[in-house]
Amino acid sequence: MNKRIRLTEISSMMKIIFFLIFIISVNTIFAQTMNLNKNDFNEAHSLYRESTLTSRRFKHAQVVDLIKKHQASQDLQVKQIGQSVQKRAIYELTYGAGNKKVMLWSQMHGDEPTATMALFDLFNFLEGKNDQFDSLRSLLKSHLTIHFIPMLNPDGAEVYTRRNAQQIDLNRDARDTATPEGKLLRQQAALIKPQFGFNLHDQNIYYNVPGTKTPVTISLLAPAYNWERDINEVRGNAMKIIAGMHQLLQDYIPGAVAKYDDEHSPRAFGDSFQKWGASTILIESGAFAGDPEKQQIRKLNFIVILNALMQIAQDSYQQFSISAYQQIPFNASQLHDVILRRVSTVSKGLPLKVDIAIRRDEITVNDDYYVKGYVEDIGDLHDFYGYDDVDLSDFEWVEAHVYESPFEHLSDLNPSTIRALLKQGYAAVRVDKAQINTLHNLPIHILTTGKLQTYNSLSLGQEANFFLKKNNEIQYAVINGYLIDLNQELPLNMKQIVR
């Protein structure tokens, strides 16, 4: 009996010893893995940022010129893998010769270019030499084979629109592959058979972190491969990689990360790549205050992609848990460009005190765009937020008018003149020698032969041009959806068009 007890005790002790050895070994492995800190990432991006990409509305020709710069590289292999509907070349750049295969594709929606800029920063980094990052490049090159498709939808990018030239959403073409671009992406997936995939997108700027007015700057997702949203090893690994991304992003944008909707879509490429066996990570670039051209978010894309590639190369993403991924909140959709709270107005002859939500849409024109602001919602908006969010409990709504005496030139409209006009309730002026359909940045509408629709009451869907007064003095103007405090310096960066 005593011998049995001793054997049992010895057996238990041996199990504890082996368990401790295992834990020590695992910790040693992770302690030996390569890591970069915030300063390292910042320096890497500062050194290798592609300086020719300074705004989000770039064209296919500019991308081709940049790709050609990399054709002479000894590190990146460049090849044309197909054409778009309108015969624009689609390229793939490949780095490394490792056993783990990774695919990254960007701009399958033509108006979602943030990650494309980050990929060109990454190409510059991968070609770098003789700096503190050489060991990282060696790690990536020896363990990974990385396939990049920087612009899958060049026709959409040319006119800055979501769909391809056939008006098909490429991210809903994974099942039918009716488009040449969709066929190409699926063919590359079948040819490469990646273990990991990065599906790179932009989301609209009106997503917020639930319960806050904080815009979601980066949204992440391990797409579901079936309707039940099951978690197998493939999807689970994607979740662990995202948990690592989320941890890193807290150093840059604390509290501004969320998950994208995980409802399964069998038409979507992210869901399909997951089903085909590639641990797939969706990155959606959202909004960052004061960054309309998404240059800060571009940097964040560079950082999280580089870090994820490093962790894939050394399997260090396994230190993160699926439960950490599941704790990331889902996007909420409660943001507007402007919310004006508790404004007094009159509707159908009755007094009404309401909140007003305004949204501004971008309208592409040639190589640029102008903005069209409209009243999106009226009523109780306590549970919604605005980038501009103002309590106007003591203010009244005032209709806008057009100043009829014409000006000769745009140069006649200086800030003091415009302020005086706005203070009198004029939202638009006529300028004889302004050229119709040209763009301007003035905080007042410019008319030639066109008209400004004005309203004598607040109406859903109407152009957002009106004024707000207190004690019979106009103190705020809403011009084309922009809120202007007339007691502050006037903004001179509004995107408008001469009518």
Side-chain angles (χ1 to χ4, degrees):
M1 184 71 171
N2 290 337
K3 285 183 180 179
R4 283 200 197 121
I5 292 171
R6 286 196 203 96
L7 288 171
T8 302
E9 290 173 347
I10 291 169
S11 176
S12 298
M13 288 177 65
M14 290 299 291
K15 287 178 181 177
I16 291 170
I17 290 168
F18 282 126
F19 178 75
L20 290 173
I21 291 170
F22 171 77
I23 293 296
I24 292 168
S25 299
V26 169
N27 288 337
T28 301
I29 289 170
F30 285 134
Q32 292 174 347
T33 56
M34 183 181 299
N35 287 295
L36 300 184
N37 59 38
K38 186 175 181 179
N39 289 336
D40 294 329
F41 284 119
N42 290 341
E43 183 175 357
H45 192 257
S46 177
L47 285 171
Y48 295 104
R49 180 182 179 276
E50 176 50 60
S51 61
T52 64
L53 295 174
T54 58
S55 66
R56 55 193 164 89
R57 286 176 173 259
F58 49 85
K59 303 285 190 177
H60 175 254
Q62 192 171 355
V63 166
V64 172
D65 287 344
L66 289 173
I67 288 172
K68 287 179 178 178
K69 282 173 50 180
H70 295 288
Q71 282 183 322
S73 169
Q74 296 178 348
D75 299 302
L76 285 164
Q77 299 173 12
V78 178
K79 66 176 178 179
Q80 182 179 338
I81 55 173
Q83 288 184 325
S84 66
V85 172
Q86 295 177 339
K87 307 303 181 187
R88 292 185 173 91
I90 299 173
Y91 290 91
E92 178 188 78
L93 290 82
T94 306
Y95 181 85
N99 293 327
K100 297 175 185 175
K101 297 177 181 178
V102 185
M103 271 187 73
L104 302 93
W105 61 99
S106 183
Q107 221 164 342
M108 66 191 315
H109 295 144
D111 58 354
E112 299 181 7
T114 305
T116 302
M117 294 186 282
L119 291 186
F120 281 100
D121 302 337
L122 191 57
F123 298 155
N124 291 342
F125 172 86
L126 294 174
E127 289 180 338
K129 286 179 176 60
N130 302 321
D131 59 24
Q132 69 189 72
F133 305 108
D134 281 343
S135 56
L136 173 55
R137 296 185 190 99
S138 178
L139 172 74
L140 299 180
K141 190 178 291 187
S142 60
H143 287 79
L144 307 180
T145 302
I146 313 172
H147 300 263
F148 302 92
I149 303 175
M151 182 182 275
L152 185 66
N153 182 6
D155 298 345
E158 198 68 15
V159 291
Y160 205 75
T161 191
R162 178 182 178 89
R163 296 177 178 239
N164 80 337
Q166 297 167 306
Q167 299 186 40
I168 301 297
D169 184 337
L170 298 186
N171 203 29
R172 300 296 179 266
D173 193 32
R175 184 170 54 194
D176 285 355
T177 56
T179 64
E181 300 92 346
K183 282 187 178 73
L184 179 62
L185 184 57
R186 184 160 186 172
Q187 287 167 1
Q188 291 303 108
L191 177 66
I192 295 166
K193 295 181 173 59
Q195 291 103 313
F196 300 90
F198 289 79
N199 189 13
L200 306 174
H201 288 265
D202 286 59
Q203 66 182 25
N204 75 54
I205 65 172
Y206 303 110
Y207 288 114
N208 61 293
V209 177
T212 78
K213 65 177 297 183
T214 303
V216 175
T217 301
I218 295 285
S219 186
L220 303 164
L221 181 70
Y225 64 89
N226 63 9
W227 292 108
E228 292 75 23
R229 309 182 202 191
D230 291 331
I231 303 172
N232 59 5
E233 183 180 4
V234 171
R235 190 178 182 216
N237 284 338
M239 291 177 172
K240 292 175 183 178
I241 293 167
I242 289 172
M245 289 178 161
H246 180 255
Q247 183 184 84
L248 178 61
L249 285 168
Q250 296 312 301
D251 290 338
Y252 292 88
I253 46 169
V257 183
K259 289 201 301 280
Y260 203 75
D261 177 25
D262 68 345
E263 182 179 356
H264 176 57
S265 173
R267 303 184 299 159
F269 268 101
D271 303 54
S272 298
F273 266 79
Q274 204 86 269
K275 182 168 58 180
W276 298 336
S279 296
T280 303
I281 296 96
L282 171 70
I283 301 178
E284 295 269 1
S285 296
F288 186 84
D291 185 27
E293 297 304 323
K294 296 200 168 183
Q295 299 304 298
Q296 291 299 316
I297 310 179
R298 156 202 192 161
K299 175 182 175 179
L300 296 176
N301 272 258
F302 170 87
I303 289 168
V304 295
I305 291 170
L306 180 57
N307 188 67
L309 292 174
M310 178 176 65
Q311 292 188 341
I312 290 169
Q314 55 196 2
D315 289 324
S316 56
Y317 66 88
Q318 293 290 356
Q319 68 187 289
F320 301 103
S321 66
I322 291 172
S323 62
Y325 167 86
Q326 292 170 327
Q327 290 168 14
I328 303 170
F330 281 103
N331 280 330
S333 186
Q334 300 165 291
L335 266 176
H336 302 271
D337 286 299
V338 179
I339 287 192
L340 309 173
R341 300 193 183 276
R342 313 305 296 152
V343 176
S344 295
T345 184
V346 175
S347 177
K348 304 299 182 182
L350 299 175
L352 184 66
K353 203 173 186 70
V354 291
D355 303 332
I356 305 168
I358 295 169
R359 183 165 290 193
R360 298 191 294 263
D361 287 342
E362 290 186 6
I363 312 297
T364 298
V365 52
N366 299 322
D367 295 335
D368 208 339
Y369 69 96
Y370 66 94
V371 166
K372 183 177 181 181
Y374 61 96
V375 177
E376 186 182 23
D377 204 354
I378 305 169
D380 175 0
L381 302 175
H382 283 65
D383 299 320
F384 295 85
Y385 310 94
Y387 283 94
D388 288 320
D389 199 316
V390 185
D391 184 353
L392 296 169
S393 300
D394 298 325
F395 284 77
E396 298 176 50
W397 184 92
V398 179
E399 66 179 293
H401 297 280
V402 178
Y403 188 69
E404 289 296 341
S405 298
F407 292 83
E408 188 172 5
H409 300 282
L410 278 175
S411 58
D412 297 331
L413 292 167
N414 58 51
S416 61
T417 300
I418 294 173
R419 186 191 303 276
L421 290 166
L422 295 175
K423 280 277 193 178
Q424 297 174 69
Y426 295 112
V429 297
R430 301 189 182 279
V431 179
D432 289 337
K433 294 186 178 179
Q435 187 174 349
I436 193 168
N437 293 333
T438 56
L439 301 180
H440 69 92
N441 293 315
L442 297 176
I444 195 165
H445 287 284
I446 307 299
L447 307 179
T448 55
T449 58
K451 292 184 178 181
L452 180 73
Q453 184 68 53
T454 57
Y455 303 84
N456 58 15
S457 65
L458 188 64
S459 179
L460 194 65
Q462 74 182 42
E463 289 186 28
N465 299 303
F466 53 85
F467 296 89
L468 298 155
K469 71 178 181 180
K470 180 180 179 181
N471 299 327
N472 289 319
E473 180 187 357
I474 291 176
Q475 297 188 28
Y476 287 95
V478 176
I479 304 296
N480 200 23
Y482 292 92
L483 178 65
I484 303 170
D485 184 343
L486 297 179
N487 297 311
Q488 302 292 327
E489 184 177 350
L490 293 184
L492 298 175
N493 59 350
M494 291 169 56
K495 302 284 287 188
Q496 298 207 75
I497 191 167
V498 175
R499 302 188 189 190

